[in-house]
Amino acid sequence: MKIKKKINKFKFKKVVVFIMFNIIFTILLSPFIIFWGPFDATKTLVVGSVLTSRHPQFVKAFLTDDQITEIVHKYDNPTSATGPTLVTTPSDASAGVTIEDIKGGTFKGKVMLIKDPKRIKVAVTKELEVNGERVSDFVKDTGAIAGINGGGFYDPKGTGNGAFPDGLAVHNGEIVHNNIGNSSTDIVAFDKDGNLIVGQITADDVKKKNITEAVSFLPTLIQDGKRGVFNDSEWGVAPRTAIGQKADGTIILVVIDGRQPTWSWGAKMSDLYNLFKEYGAVNAANLDGGSSSELIYNGKVVNKLWNIFGERYLPTAFVVMPE
């Protein structure tokens, strides 16, 4: 009987070792299967996701720049954004807000148009450098009617809770966070007259340019009607959030879903650029994307989040105040 138990125990150990070996082997082999295997859809999704993460070097360890460029452009479409389908309601129109569906070659998303640019404010987490907030929290806390995720963030403590805005964060004309001193940063800002300011500035420029609301992120898509400097191969295909302004002052908020093959792959920077040109933007800039991309309206998430855990905790957001 004891011999039989020992044999069964030995067999069990062999099975466990076999399973563990296969799991470890699969993990080690998976990058090679993804990047060099025949599964083009998976490869495109992973490359686009990793390029816009904090570790883009992971992709570059397996693929050359030419290979990355080829993958990023694999699902190009001659028309990167078709004519938007209007889904506004009378209540939207009376509030000075219009929401539209947009669709491009590889993406689907939402556009929100706000006639009065002075309604746009930056919301900053109440627990700055401790905890971030969800976009729905920002909207609720400020009494806003809508909101999108804002600037980037860094994570010095490794907690991943969105507590630290990266670059400059400005609200009501005051710098509420600055981790770059007076170095230049790519800004997405509004001055006291409601003009969208994009491009590079320093902390000293906040007062000089009468900036009232601002976050830091990049790249600039359009500045004074001219195309910004960006390369699709550096950004990949991913969920996106961006903001722009027409010559008449109308604000254009864009949120594009991504990393959902049956719904929307995501967008390249050139997709965003073409989309804003179609809407007549004279200034436009990219905001934090990926699992941060989100649009809240009337207390609800109106886009399809990629993050399986729901809304992400962030340090800043742009909110739309009531008229």
Side-chain angles (χ1 to χ4, degrees):
M1 184 66 70
K2 289 183 178 180
I3 293 175
K4 188 174 182 181
K5 285 183 179 180
K6 286 183 179 179
I7 292 173
N8 290 335
K9 190 175 182 180
F10 177 73
K11 287 182 177 180
F12 177 75
K13 285 183 177 180
K14 286 183 67 176
V15 171
V16 171
V17 170
F18 177 78
I19 293 172
M20 292 301 297
F21 172 80
N22 278 277
I23 291 173
I24 294 171
F25 182 75
T26 301
I27 292 172
L28 293 174
L29 194 61
S30 59
F32 299 95
I33 296 174
I34 291 170
F35 295 123
W36 295 339
F39 309 107
D40 286 342
T42 302
K43 189 186 305 181
T44 301
L45 181 63
V46 172
V47 169
S49 299
V50 177
L51 281 176
T52 53
S53 72
R54 297 182 183 183
H55 305 286
Q57 68 275 8
F58 183 75
V59 167
K60 296 181 180 182
F62 290 90
L63 301 171
T64 66
D65 289 342
D66 289 341
Q67 288 173 321
I68 293 171
T69 300
E70 182 182 353
I71 292 168
V72 168
H73 289 285
K74 188 173 183 64
Y75 292 93
D76 278 355
N77 189 290
T79 55
S80 64
T82 60
T85 303
L86 190 64
V87 292
T88 183
T89 65
S91 60
D92 293 329
S94 65
V97 172
T98 300
I99 302 176
E100 298 177 352
D101 285 322
I102 51 170
K103 182 180 180 181
T106 62
F107 64 84
K108 295 178 182 178
K110 299 285 186 181
V111 169
M112 176 177 282
L113 304 172
I114 303 99
K115 291 183 179 179
D116 182 3
K118 293 184 179 181
R119 295 174 63 185
I120 308 297
K121 304 292 181 183
V122 167
V124 181
T125 176
K126 299 188 299 294
E127 296 184 272
L128 191 63
E129 299 187 1
V130 178
N131 287 300
E133 294 185 55
R134 300 171 299 181
V135 177
S136 58
D137 296 326
F138 286 123
V139 170
K140 182 179 179 180
D141 292 345
T142 58
I145 64 167
I148 59 172
N149 56 291
F153 55 94
Y154 65 107
D155 193 11
K157 298 180 180 180
T159 55
N161 63 352
F164 296 83
D166 201 11
L168 296 175
V170 181
H171 178 55
N172 286 335
E174 299 296 329
I175 297 175
V176 295
H177 195 270
N178 176 6
N179 69 317
I180 58 168
N182 202 42
S183 300
S184 295
T185 182
D186 287 273
I187 203 77
V188 186
F190 287 90
D191 67 15
K192 64 181 182 63
D193 297 317
N195 297 309
L196 178 63
I197 299 172
V198 297
Q200 291 200 335
I201 70 164
T202 66
D204 288 346
D205 292 325
V206 171
K207 294 297 183 184
K208 294 176 182 177
K209 295 180 180 293
N210 294 313
I211 290 174
T212 57
E213 312 289 330
V215 298
S216 292
F217 213 71
L218 73 162
T220 295
L221 299 167
I222 303 173
Q223 187 172 19
D224 299 327
K226 297 179 181 179
R227 187 184 191 275
V229 179
F230 54 85
N231 189 332
D232 279 336
S233 64
E234 296 177 359
W235 291 91
V237 177
R240 304 289 184 199
T241 302
I243 187 170
Q245 186 174 43
K246 298 183 182 184
D248 66 2
T250 299
I251 297 302
I252 311 161
L253 303 182
V254 174
V255 173
I256 291 176
D257 300 328
R259 299 173 184 166
Q260 302 171 68
T262 59
W263 172 251
S264 175
W265 284 100
K268 303 185 297 294
M269 286 300 155
S270 58
D271 291 325
L272 286 180
Y273 167 77
N274 290 331
L275 181 62
F276 279 112
K277 289 294 289 185
E278 183 172 317
Y279 271 89
V282 292
N283 287 296
N286 181 53
L287 293 168
D288 189 19
S291 55
S292 300
S293 289
E294 180 179 1
L295 173 62
I296 293 283
Y297 182 63
N298 280 345
K300 296 180 180 179
V301 180
V302 297
N303 67 304
K304 290 192 176 183
L305 297 181
W306 173 74
N307 194 339
I308 60 173
F309 299 107
E311 294 182 70
R312 195 174 190 180
Y313 284 82
L314 306 167
T316 58
F318 279 106
V319 295
V320 182
M321 303 305 295
E323 287 185 302

mmCIF file of all heavy atoms in Angstrom, residues 186-213:
data_model
loop_
_atom_site.group_PDB
_atom_site.id
_atom_site.type_symbol
_atom_site.label_atom_id
_atom_site.label_comp_id
_atom_site.label_asym_id
_atom_site.label_seq_id
_atom_site.Cartn_x
_atom_site.Cartn_y
_atom_site.Cartn_z
ATOM 1 N N ASP A 186 5.579 69.932 -23.587
ATOM 2 C CA ASP A 186 4.482 69.999 -24.553
ATOM 3 C C ASP A 186 3.192 70.206 -23.789
ATOM 4 O O ASP A 186 2.819 69.398 -22.925
ATOM 5 C CB ASP A 186 4.414 68.710 -25.368
ATOM 6 C CG ASP A 186 5.549 68.616 -26.373
ATOM 7 O OD1 ASP A 186 5.385 69.127 -27.489
ATOM 8 O OD2 ASP A 186 6.599 68.050 -26.013
ATOM 9 N N ILE A 187 2.507 71.278 -24.119
ATOM 10 C CA ILE A 187 1.360 71.716 -23.314
ATOM 11 C C ILE A 187 0.051 71.587 -24.091
ATOM 12 O O ILE A 187 0.024 71.680 -25.314
ATOM 13 C CB ILE A 187 1.556 73.186 -22.851
ATOM 14 C CG1 ILE A 187 0.724 73.475 -21.588
ATOM 15 C CG2 ILE A 187 1.216 74.150 -23.975
ATOM 16 C CD1 ILE A 187 1.331 72.905 -20.346
ATOM 17 N N VAL A 188 -1.028 71.358 -23.371
ATOM 18 C CA VAL A 188 -2.392 71.446 -23.891
ATOM 19 C C VAL A 188 -3.110 72.371 -22.927
ATOM 20 O O VAL A 188 -3.403 71.983 -21.797
ATOM 21 C CB VAL A 188 -3.068 70.067 -23.949
ATOM 22 C CG1 VAL A 188 -4.423 70.185 -24.625
ATOM 23 C CG2 VAL A 188 -2.187 69.053 -24.665
ATOM 24 N N ALA A 189 -3.363 73.610 -23.359
ATOM 25 C CA ALA A 189 -3.761 74.649 -22.401
ATOM 26 C C ALA A 189 -4.832 75.570 -22.973
ATOM 27 O O ALA A 189 -5.050 75.630 -24.187
ATOM 28 C CB ALA A 189 -2.528 75.474 -22.010
ATOM 29 N N PHE A 190 -5.476 76.298 -22.060
ATOM 30 C CA PHE A 190 -6.417 77.347 -22.434
ATOM 31 C C PHE A 190 -6.009 78.641 -21.752
ATOM 32 O O PHE A 190 -5.615 78.633 -20.578
ATOM 33 C CB PHE A 190 -7.846 76.975 -22.005
ATOM 34 C CG PHE A 190 -8.464 75.901 -22.849
ATOM 35 C CD1 PHE A 190 -8.316 74.564 -22.517
ATOM 36 C CD2 PHE A 190 -9.176 76.228 -23.992
ATOM 37 C CE1 PHE A 190 -8.867 73.569 -23.290
ATOM 38 C CE2 PHE A 190 -9.732 75.235 -24.790
ATOM 39 C CZ PHE A 190 -9.578 73.904 -24.433
ATOM 40 N N ASP A 191 -6.108 79.756 -22.497
ATOM 41 C CA ASP A 191 -5.844 81.050 -21.876
ATOM 42 C C ASP A 191 -7.151 81.640 -21.374
ATOM 43 O O ASP A 191 -8.225 81.034 -21.502
ATOM 44 C CB ASP A 191 -5.106 81.987 -22.835
ATOM 45 C CG ASP A 191 -5.943 82.408 -24.047
ATOM 46 O OD1 ASP A 191 -7.184 82.227 -24.044
ATOM 47 O OD2 ASP A 191 -5.345 82.929 -25.015
ATOM 48 N N LYS A 192 -7.074 82.840 -20.818
ATOM 49 C CA LYS A 192 -8.259 83.452 -20.182
ATOM 50 C C LYS A 192 -9.380 83.752 -21.174
ATOM 51 O O LYS A 192 -10.544 83.921 -20.788
ATOM 52 C CB LYS A 192 -7.849 84.737 -19.458
ATOM 53 C CG LYS A 192 -7.322 85.834 -20.349
ATOM 54 C CD LYS A 192 -6.933 87.054 -19.521
ATOM 55 C CE LYS A 192 -6.439 88.203 -20.402
ATOM 56 N NZ LYS A 192 -7.485 88.705 -21.319
ATOM 57 N N ASP A 193 -9.044 83.818 -22.467
ATOM 58 C CA ASP A 193 -10.053 84.093 -23.494
ATOM 59 C C ASP A 193 -10.622 82.822 -24.126
ATOM 60 O O ASP A 193 -11.427 82.889 -25.055
ATOM 61 C CB ASP A 193 -9.438 84.978 -24.591
ATOM 62 C CG ASP A 193 -9.015 86.346 -24.072
ATOM 63 O OD1 ASP A 193 -9.783 86.938 -23.293
ATOM 64 O OD2 ASP A 193 -7.920 86.809 -24.448
ATOM 65 N N GLY A 194 -10.186 81.664 -23.629
ATOM 66 C CA GLY A 194 -10.707 80.409 -24.159
ATOM 67 C C GLY A 194 -9.974 79.887 -25.378
ATOM 68 O O GLY A 194 -10.470 78.981 -26.056
ATOM 69 N N ASN A 195 -8.804 80.434 -25.664
ATOM 70 C CA ASN A 195 -8.025 79.969 -26.810
ATOM 71 C C ASN A 195 -7.213 78.730 -26.421
ATOM 72 O O ASN A 195 -6.542 78.723 -25.386
ATOM 73 C CB ASN A 195 -7.069 81.064 -27.290
ATOM 74 C CG ASN A 195 -7.803 82.295 -27.779
ATOM 75 O OD1 ASN A 195 -8.705 82.192 -28.607
ATOM 76 N ND2 ASN A 195 -7.435 83.461 -27.266
ATOM 77 N N LEU A 196 -7.261 77.700 -27.259
ATOM 78 C CA LEU A 196 -6.473 76.502 -27.038
ATOM 79 C C LEU A 196 -5.021 76.765 -27.443
ATOM 80 O O LEU A 196 -4.758 77.201 -28.564
ATOM 81 C CB LEU A 196 -7.033 75.329 -27.838
ATOM 82 C CG LEU A 196 -6.268 74.006 -27.751
ATOM 83 C CD1 LEU A 196 -6.278 73.457 -26.328
ATOM 84 C CD2 LEU A 196 -6.852 72.979 -28.723
ATOM 85 N N ILE A 197 -4.106 76.503 -26.539
ATOM 86 C CA ILE A 197 -2.681 76.695 -26.790
ATOM 87 C C ILE A 197 -1.997 75.339 -26.783
ATOM 88 O O ILE A 197 -2.134 74.568 -25.825
ATOM 89 C CB ILE A 197 -2.040 77.608 -25.721
ATOM 90 C CG1 ILE A 197 -2.695 78.998 -25.756
ATOM 91 C CG2 ILE A 197 -0.541 77.724 -25.931
ATOM 92 C CD1 ILE A 197 -2.254 79.896 -24.616
ATOM 93 N N VAL A 198 -1.282 75.027 -27.868
ATOM 94 C CA VAL A 198 -0.552 73.764 -27.960
ATOM 95 C C VAL A 198 0.905 74.063 -28.318
ATOM 96 O O VAL A 198 1.248 75.173 -28.707
ATOM 97 C CB VAL A 198 -1.178 72.833 -29.014
ATOM 98 C CG1 VAL A 198 -2.599 72.451 -28.617
ATOM 99 C CG2 VAL A 198 -1.171 73.486 -30.398
ATOM 100 N N GLY A 199 1.764 73.068 -28.173
ATOM 101 C CA GLY A 199 3.182 73.284 -28.429
ATOM 102 C C GLY A 199 3.945 73.332 -27.124
ATOM 103 O O GLY A 199 3.446 72.937 -26.073
ATOM 104 N N GLN A 200 5.168 73.831 -27.174
ATOM 105 C CA GLN A 200 6.019 73.841 -25.996
ATOM 106 C C GLN A 200 6.013 75.188 -25.273
ATOM 107 O O GLN A 200 6.053 76.243 -25.909
ATOM 108 C CB GLN A 200 7.455 73.482 -26.384
ATOM 109 C CG GLN A 200 7.623 72.033 -26.810
ATOM 110 C CD GLN A 200 9.068 71.581 -26.725
ATOM 111 O OE1 GLN A 200 9.991 72.369 -26.795
ATOM 112 N NE2 GLN A 200 9.255 70.277 -26.557
ATOM 113 N N ILE A 201 5.966 75.110 -23.946
ATOM 114 C CA ILE A 201 6.089 76.297 -23.105
ATOM 115 C C ILE A 201 6.894 75.926 -21.862
ATOM 116 O O ILE A 201 7.195 74.756 -21.627
ATOM 117 C CB ILE A 201 4.721 76.883 -22.682
ATOM 118 C CG1 ILE A 201 4.033 75.929 -21.680
ATOM 119 C CG2 ILE A 201 3.834 77.175 -23.867
ATOM 120 C CD1 ILE A 201 2.900 76.584 -20.924
ATOM 121 N N THR A 202 7.206 76.923 -21.050
ATOM 122 C CA THR A 202 7.840 76.700 -19.754
ATOM 123 C C THR A 202 6.879 77.155 -18.662
ATOM 124 O O THR A 202 5.848 77.788 -18.942
ATOM 125 C CB THR A 202 9.154 77.484 -19.635
ATOM 126 O OG1 THR A 202 8.861 78.886 -19.649
ATOM 127 C CG2 THR A 202 10.107 77.148 -20.784
ATOM 128 N N ALA A 203 7.226 76.877 -17.425
ATOM 129 C CA ALA A 203 6.384 77.300 -16.302
ATOM 130 C C ALA A 203 6.250 78.820 -16.270
ATOM 131 O O ALA A 203 5.188 79.351 -15.908
ATOM 132 C CB ALA A 203 6.976 76.780 -14.993
ATOM 133 N N ASP A 204 7.313 79.541 -16.640
ATOM 134 C CA ASP A 204 7.254 81.006 -16.641
ATOM 135 C C ASP A 204 6.246 81.542 -17.645
ATOM 136 O O ASP A 204 5.721 82.651 -17.485
ATOM 137 C CB ASP A 204 8.636 81.596 -16.962
ATOM 138 C CG ASP A 204 9.622 81.428 -15.813
ATOM 139 O OD1 ASP A 204 9.171 81.111 -14.687
ATOM 140 O OD2 ASP A 204 10.842 81.599 -16.042
ATOM 141 N N ASP A 205 5.963 80.738 -18.696
ATOM 142 C CA ASP A 205 5.024 81.193 -19.728
ATOM 143 C C ASP A 205 3.570 81.150 -19.270
ATOM 144 O O ASP A 205 2.702 81.740 -19.915
ATOM 145 C CB ASP A 205 5.168 80.328 -20.984
ATOM 146 C CG ASP A 205 6.500 80.535 -21.691
ATOM 147 O OD1 ASP A 205 6.990 81.681 -21.674
ATOM 148 O OD2 ASP A 205 7.031 79.560 -22.253
ATOM 149 N N VAL A 206 3.299 80.451 -18.182
ATOM 150 C CA VAL A 206 1.911 80.323 -17.714
ATOM 151 C C VAL A 206 1.325 81.696 -17.436
ATOM 152 O O VAL A 206 0.206 82.022 -17.875
ATOM 153 C CB VAL A 206 1.829 79.424 -16.461
ATOM 154 C CG1 VAL A 206 0.427 79.476 -15.850
ATOM 155 C CG2 VAL A 206 2.186 77.986 -16.820
ATOM 156 N N LYS A 207 2.049 82.533 -16.720
ATOM 157 C CA LYS A 207 1.567 83.883 -16.431
ATOM 158 C C LYS A 207 1.680 84.792 -17.652
ATOM 159 O O LYS A 207 0.794 85.599 -17.942
ATOM 160 C CB LYS A 207 2.360 84.474 -15.268
ATOM 161 C CG LYS A 207 2.148 83.748 -13.934
ATOM 162 C CD LYS A 207 0.703 83.835 -13.470
ATOM 163 C CE LYS A 207 0.528 83.168 -12.104
ATOM 164 N NZ LYS A 207 -0.903 83.165 -11.666
ATOM 165 N N LYS A 208 2.802 84.655 -18.383
ATOM 166 C CA LYS A 208 3.021 85.514 -19.552
ATOM 167 C C LYS A 208 1.941 85.351 -20.612
ATOM 168 O O LYS A 208 1.543 86.305 -21.263
ATOM 169 C CB LYS A 208 4.390 85.208 -20.175
ATOM 170 C CG LYS A 208 5.577 85.573 -19.296
ATOM 171 C CD LYS A 208 6.880 85.152 -19.960
ATOM 172 C CE LYS A 208 8.083 85.456 -19.078
ATOM 173 N NZ LYS A 208 9.357 84.975 -19.692
ATOM 174 N N LYS A 209 1.479 84.118 -20.791
ATOM 175 C CA LYS A 209 0.491 83.832 -21.820
ATOM 176 C C LYS A 209 -0.940 83.788 -21.273
ATOM 177 O O LYS A 209 -1.862 83.385 -21.980
ATOM 178 C CB LYS A 209 0.822 82.497 -22.500
ATOM 179 C CG LYS A 209 2.143 82.510 -23.266
ATOM 180 C CD LYS A 209 2.408 81.148 -23.907
ATOM 181 C CE LYS A 209 3.723 81.143 -24.680
ATOM 182 N NZ LYS A 209 3.692 82.006 -25.873
ATOM 183 N N ASN A 210 -1.098 84.196 -20.013
ATOM 184 C CA ASN A 210 -2.428 84.233 -19.379
ATOM 185 C C ASN A 210 -3.129 82.861 -19.428
ATOM 186 O O ASN A 210 -4.335 82.765 -19.669
ATOM 187 C CB ASN A 210 -3.316 85.288 -20.035
ATOM 188 C CG ASN A 210 -2.803 86.693 -19.802
ATOM 189 O OD1 ASN A 210 -2.452 87.054 -18.678
ATOM 190 N ND2 ASN A 210 -2.738 87.484 -20.870
ATOM 191 N N ILE A 211 -2.345 81.806 -19.199
ATOM 192 C CA ILE A 211 -2.904 80.452 -19.217
ATOM 193 C C ILE A 211 -3.657 80.191 -17.916
ATOM 194 O O ILE A 211 -3.155 80.431 -16.825
ATOM 195 C CB ILE A 211 -1.782 79.409 -19.412
ATOM 196 C CG1 ILE A 211 -1.231 79.517 -20.835
ATOM 197 C CG2 ILE A 211 -2.285 77.996 -19.133
ATOM 198 C CD1 ILE A 211 -0.024 78.652 -21.102
ATOM 199 N N THR A 212 -4.874 79.710 -18.076
ATOM 200 C CA THR A 212 -5.713 79.428 -16.904
ATOM 201 C C THR A 212 -5.857 77.943 -16.611
ATOM 202 O O THR A 212 -6.033 77.546 -15.450
ATOM 203 C CB THR A 212 -7.114 80.030 -17.091
ATOM 204 O OG1 THR A 212 -7.695 79.509 -18.303
ATOM 205 C CG2 THR A 212 -7.041 81.559 -17.186
ATOM 206 N N GLU A 213 -5.826 77.102 -17.656
ATOM 207 C CA GLU A 213 -6.000 75.656 -17.494
ATOM 208 C C GLU A 213 -4.984 74.950 -18.382
ATOM 209 O O GLU A 213 -4.823 75.327 -19.552
ATOM 210 C CB GLU A 213 -7.419 75.218 -17.898
ATOM 211 C CG GLU A 213 -8.550 76.040 -17.323
ATOM 212 C CD GLU A 213 -8.748 75.840 -15.831
ATOM 213 O OE1 GLU A 213 -8.446 74.733 -15.339
ATOM 214 O OE2 GLU A 213 -9.211 76.784 -15.165
#
